[in-house]
Amino acid sequence: MRTRTQRTIEALARGSLSLLLAGTVILFQGCDSTGTGSQQATGGSGSGGAVQTGGAASGGSIAGSGGQSAGSGGAAPSGGVVTSGGTVTSGGVVTSGGLVGKGGAAPLSGGTVTSGGVGVTGGVTPMGGASKTGGAGPSGGVVTSGGVTSTGGVAGGGGASNPVTGGGTGHYQMENLDRGVVAVKVSGGVYVGWRMFGYEYTGTDSDTSYNLYKDGAKLTNVTDSTNYLDAAGTASNKYSVSCVLKGTEGPQSAAVTPWAQQYTSIPLTPPGSQYNANDGEPGDLDGDGKLDIVLKWEGSTKDNSQAGVTDPVYIAGYTLAGKQLWILNLGPNIRSGAHYTQMSVGDFDGDGKAEFACKTAPGTKDGTGTYLSTGPAASDDDSADYRNASGYILTGPEYLTVFAGDTGKELATVDYPVPRGVVTSWGDGYGNRVDRFNGGMAFVSDTGTGKTATGRPSIIQQRGYYTRLTMSAYNWRDGALTKAWIFDSNDSANSKAVGQGDHSAMAADVDGDLAQEILTGALTIGSDGTWHCSSGMGHGDAFDVSELVPGKGMTAFSIHEGMGGMDAHNADTCAFYFKTTESGVDSNRGRADYVGPGDETSASCYCGSCNEHLALCSTGATSVTVSPGTNFVIYWDDDEWRESENATSITKPSSGATLLSASGCSSNNGTKSTPTLTADLLGDWREEIVYRESTNANLRVYTTTTVTKRRIYTLMHDATYRAQVAFENASYNQPPHPGFQINPSMPAPPVPNIYVK
């Protein structure tokens, strides 16, 4: 979080850079573990943005090293100083990573910056990063117009920053996470893992290393990974980590003591004896740099296809340290089940704390125990019960509410983006299809005018997918909850979207314009809420989106319920890499990922209930032999293949060996057998998995303890992965994927195009 002094200095900097720079430039090249995040100057971005050189990055390699001096056509302003690319810190210090000068920023390659659009502490776009015409950079930042990386990620960007103000000078707003150090007592000593921040990664391995401290004394310098086994470690030792970037050491992280086992526990207090802890979503709720969990509690539930009255839904916020921050009651007019309450969690207003948004109704109480009282909720009847004799809720007001992450307090309430209207218009008359929802957050085109995108996350809520399909993007900015756009298959331009939705949704930038599209299985919705493309394969129960075919950008894998079979298609054009159909087969479970030998040149696509069930995603060839299974996948052991997760265990697909068995825990969502959450919550780039104990006394957060020599920045600083984590628990839970391939044959990951808040 920025102090008031920092905010004041930044405001002065936005108004007049000439007051901060008089020709002398001090350069810092360091790392950050406690910084407050690089900020952008307020004001408009230039029309079309400034163009940088670089173009495409072959194979997803970096087109540049995180900074750019003035390009052709863009001279430094009078008296200005051009650094090797940097940002202005609070106090007028220039770091490596951007352009500053007396009187304003130096445009790159002839681009323009509008009044007030000077990138003071982080508005410079990376070399090689692509943006289509009109794509805006961070608030006040510079926009690129260049090539798209072949791996589906944007090349360049961010880069390292100084240890004072935080990191990144790129486009996408990410959490300003702490080092995430985790230590576990194991039979061979103590395992220690920690985060590499996305803005510490330059693409050159030798630039960055880490000093590991034990009880305050330097233990070792780690150059090739972000984990270590201290063979002499004991349960009483304390470990901390600092980053060393190009020879300059940053601050040490807070010291941690080892866990006694492979998990840490979060104590729970169920809202009733019949309640089970259900799905969770991560976010930094209190702004301390640590990820927290928003947890849904469910009592008696019903699928939309089933009649019956359900228990109220409760939502609670927990820190990983075990503190319950708040709990709210959605009330009698929100039905309980996998398809109703979809959680959107993210730092939507850029204040360093995540917010939480979901569908609400009269009778909803916020985390302070108060009925909703803003917008249309100010005059509603909170004693009204709109449930009919079958338990469905087909009348009465419907709202979208955003709550504060640290207190659960209502911040704003508006009418739900797409009202139910005439129930029969959704495909049936009893209330099944009208109340099929998905939700999450994504970095879409959020200005409401064309394809311009600020790089800040938006609240995404979907209603309908069997027949009519709608998708809404809303912004929480400056104390206002406002519409960015709404996509509706009822619109004539979107008529081919009818029936093209799955029981889940995902986000990814499929066309390289620095704004994410929303995918619903067969359908790709444009980042601005317009029609993009569809495979035409109809509704499905599961799908994946990632760089499943190396060098081909984003690929969507989907299984088909109505047509049977499966397909893999280009997520940008919807052209097929392969497809199969099987008449009369309700294909309902499947997965695609790189999971073992044979997947070096393509991920494997698997359909659990298809006759032809295992194939290479790139061609449909059935030569592949290692299956990703039908449930979740997770990065867990020492290699780059992903492991399979089902119920409460993790197995190695190539051998069938059990790598984790969470005794005493239970999975969620009936036959789907899904965990509460999988995400890169702590430690290195590999993922943690969260299960509920069978008694609901605790959540357990499990981490890997296997040392790996593969070093990747935290996946939570990859824009695709971060958005997909936010959609993970929508309806039929699906595992998140990064925006680039991870396997033993992978090229260097793309430099994340991010900044942190």
Side-chain angles (χ1 to χ4, degrees):
M1 293 292 294
R2 294 170 293 162
T3 64
R4 180 175 295 178
T5 300
Q6 286 173 313
R7 290 194 296 267
T8 301
I9 292 172
E10 289 169 3
L12 290 172
R14 288 192 289 265
S16 178
L17 276 174
S18 61
L19 294 177
L20 299 178
L21 295 176
T24 300
V25 177
I26 302 172
L27 296 179
F28 285 87
Q29 290 180 325
C31 304
D32 170 64
S33 63
T34 59
T36 60
S38 60
Q39 313 297 326
Q40 275 64 38
T42 58
S45 59
S47 174
V51 180
Q52 284 187 316
T53 59
S58 176
S61 59
I62 305 98
S65 59
Q68 170 80 345
S69 59
S72 59
S78 176
V81 180
V82 178
T83 73
S84 60
T87 59
V88 181
T89 69
S90 57
V93 179
V94 179
T95 70
S96 58
L99 298 171
V100 296
K102 182 178 180 181
L108 303 183
S109 301
T112 59
V113 178
T114 63
S115 175
V118 179
V120 176
T121 59
V124 179
T125 344
M127 293 174 62
S131 171
K132 291 189 176 180
T133 303
S139 177
V142 182
V143 186
T144 64
S145 176
V148 182
T149 62
S150 64
T151 64
V154 177
S161 65
N162 71 70
V164 178
T165 61
T169 56
H171 177 68
Y172 294 107
Q173 174 192 304
M174 295 288 160
E175 287 106 337
N176 190 17
L177 301 173
D178 69 5
R179 189 61 66 187
V181 181
V182 61
V184 183
K185 184 67 182 76
V186 295
S187 59
V190 172
Y191 167 88
V192 187
W194 59 89
R195 288 189 181 103
M196 179 186 213
F197 302 134
Y199 53 82
E200 290 172 344
Y201 174 68
T202 68
T204 301
D205 288 341
S206 60
D207 283 350
T208 312
S209 65
Y210 296 90
N211 285 338
L212 176 62
Y213 290 85
K214 177 180 177 180
D215 298 331
K218 182 178 173 181
L219 176 63
T220 188
N221 176 255
V222 180
T223 62
D224 59 353
S225 69
T226 47
N227 54 186
Y228 185 81
L229 179 64
D230 177 16
T234 68
S236 61
N237 292 135
K238 294 183 178 181
Y239 296 88
S240 61
V241 176
S242 66
C243 170
V244 182
L245 182 65
K246 296 182 179 179
T248 299
E249 183 175 10
Q252 291 183 39
S253 66
V256 303
T257 55
W259 299 352
Q261 63 281 316
Q262 202 171 354
Y263 62 86
T264 187
S265 296
I266 300 175
L268 301 176
T269 303
S273 60
Q274 76 276 28
Y275 278 81
N276 290 321
N278 190 248
D279 297 338
E281 284 292 341
D284 183 1
L285 299 178
D286 52 9
D288 64 356
K290 304 177 188 299
L291 289 168
D292 309 299
I293 294 178
V294 177
L295 179 71
K296 181 169 67 170
W297 284 98
E298 287 190 339
S300 65
T301 66
K302 293 293 182 182
D303 186 84
N304 298 55
S305 62
Q306 301 170 346
V309 175
T310 69
D311 287 328
V313 177
Y314 287 82
I315 310 290
Y318 295 91
T319 69
L320 291 187
K323 179 182 179 181
Q324 179 178 294
L325 298 173
W326 46 266
I327 187 167
L328 60 85
N329 182 353
L330 294 183
N333 296 308
I334 296 293
R335 208 165 186 239
S336 177
H339 304 285
Y340 297 100
T341 296
Q342 311 301 347
M343 302 182 290
S344 297
V345 180
D347 182 8
F348 300 111
D349 61 358
D351 68 350
K353 297 180 181 181
E355 291 80 38
F356 157 65
C358 71
K359 186 173 183 284
T360 57
T364 295
K365 291 183 179 180
D366 71 6
T368 71
T370 304
Y371 286 117
L372 303 182
S373 60
T374 67
S379 58
D380 65 10
D381 180 3
D382 288 307
S383 66
D385 187 336
Y386 294 99
R387 292 173 292 189
N388 65 20
S390 298
Y392 290 99
I393 303 160
L394 304 180
T395 60
E398 301 177 285
Y399 308 139
L400 175 66
T401 300
V402 60
F403 301 90
D406 53 352
T407 65
K409 179 180 175 59
E410 176 196 11
L411 296 176
T413 296
V414 298
D415 289 321
Y416 196 74
V418 179
R420 64 174 70 90
V422 179
V423 173
T424 55
S425 68
W426 296 87
D428 62 58
Y430 67 99
N432 178 10
R433 297 185 175 189
V434 66
D435 279 352
R436 296 281 180 163
F437 298 95
N438 287 315
M441 74 88 166
F443 304 93
V444 298
S445 302
D446 57 344
T447 64
T449 54
K451 293 184 178 298
T452 53
T454 67
R456 300 170 69 181
S458 295
I459 298 164
I460 307 298
Q461 291 281 303
Q462 176 185 356
R463 183 174 212 155
Y465 45 72
Y466 279 121
T467 49
R468 183 184 178 189
L469 184 154
T470 71
M471 193 73 67
S472 306
Y474 267 62
N475 297 329
W476 170 244
R477 311 274 196 269
D478 302 319
L481 182 58
T482 59
K483 179 181 71 174
W485 50 257
I486 294 178
F487 176 92
D488 192 337
S489 65
N490 274 1
D491 296 342
S492 58
N494 305 327
S495 60
K496 292 183 180 179
V498 172
Q500 301 300 302
D502 276 17
H503 291 281
S504 52
M506 290 291 175
D509 180 8
V510 306
D511 56 5
D513 65 354
L514 295 181
Q516 292 179 330
E517 282 66 46
I518 307 298
L519 298 98
T520 67
L523 174 67
T524 299
I525 298 171
S527 61
D528 60 347
T530 59
W531 168 263
H532 195 86
C533 68
S534 174
S535 70
M537 300 307 291
H539 168 70
D541 282 3
F543 77 105
D544 298 284
V545 179
S546 187
E547 191 194 6
L548 303 175
V549 181
K552 299 295 186 180
M554 293 293 99
T555 294
F557 164 71
S558 181
I559 58 174
H560 318 138
E561 182 173 304
M563 297 185 180
M566 59 180 176
D567 78 83
H569 61 268
N570 184 298
D572 183 21
T573 66
C574 291
F576 292 106
Y577 294 117
F578 85 92
K579 69 174 180 178
T580 66
T581 58
E582 298 179 19
S583 178
V585 176
D586 179 357
S587 303
N588 54 29
R589 302 295 294 274
R591 196 87 287 136
D593 216 324
Y594 300 91
V595 292
D599 286 358
E600 290 84 358
T601 60
S602 169
S604 287
C605 287
Y606 179 73
C607 175
S609 54
C610 298
N611 295 322
E612 296 180 10
H613 58 276
L614 180 60
L616 287 176
C617 299
S618 58
T619 63
T622 58
S623 56
V624 63
T625 60
V626 182
S627 169
T630 59
N631 203 39
F632 265 51
V633 284
I634 186 170
Y635 297 111
W636 192 257
D637 66 4
D638 60 340
D639 61 30
E640 297 90 341
W641 304 121
R642 223 166 184 190
E643 280 62 63
S644 294
E645 190 281 337
N646 187 52
T648 57
S649 65
I650 296 173
T651 58
K652 185 74 174 172
S654 59
S655 66
T658 299
L659 305 181
L660 175 71
S661 181
S663 176
C665 292
S666 294
S667 58
N668 289 329
N669 304 311
T671 59
K672 298 296 184 286
S673 298
T674 53
T676 291
L677 176 66
T678 62
D680 182 10
L681 300 175
L682 294 165
D684 64 16
W685 58 276
R686 292 169 299 172
E687 296 166 293
E688 280 63 49
I689 190 162
V690 183
Y691 294 116
R692 66 177 177 92
E693 290 183 354
S694 302
T695 62
N696 292 297
N698 296 281
L699 289 179
R700 293 186 191 174
V701 182
Y702 284 85
T703 192
T704 183
T705 57
T706 305
V707 173
T708 179
K709 291 299 183 182
R710 167 60 72 177
R711 188 174 73 172
I712 301 174
Y713 48 84
T714 173
L715 297 182
M716 295 295 271
H717 278 175
D718 172 66
T720 303
Y721 182 87
R722 183 65 190 90
Q724 291 198 16
V725 165
F727 278 96
E728 178 180 337
N729 291 308
S731 294
Y732 288 175
N733 305 21
Q734 309 294 325
H737 297 274
F740 55 93
Q741 59 172 304
I742 297 180
N743 64 36
S745 301
M746 64 184 287
V751 175
N753 191 357
I754 66 169
Y755 68 102
V756 298
K757 291 280 281 188

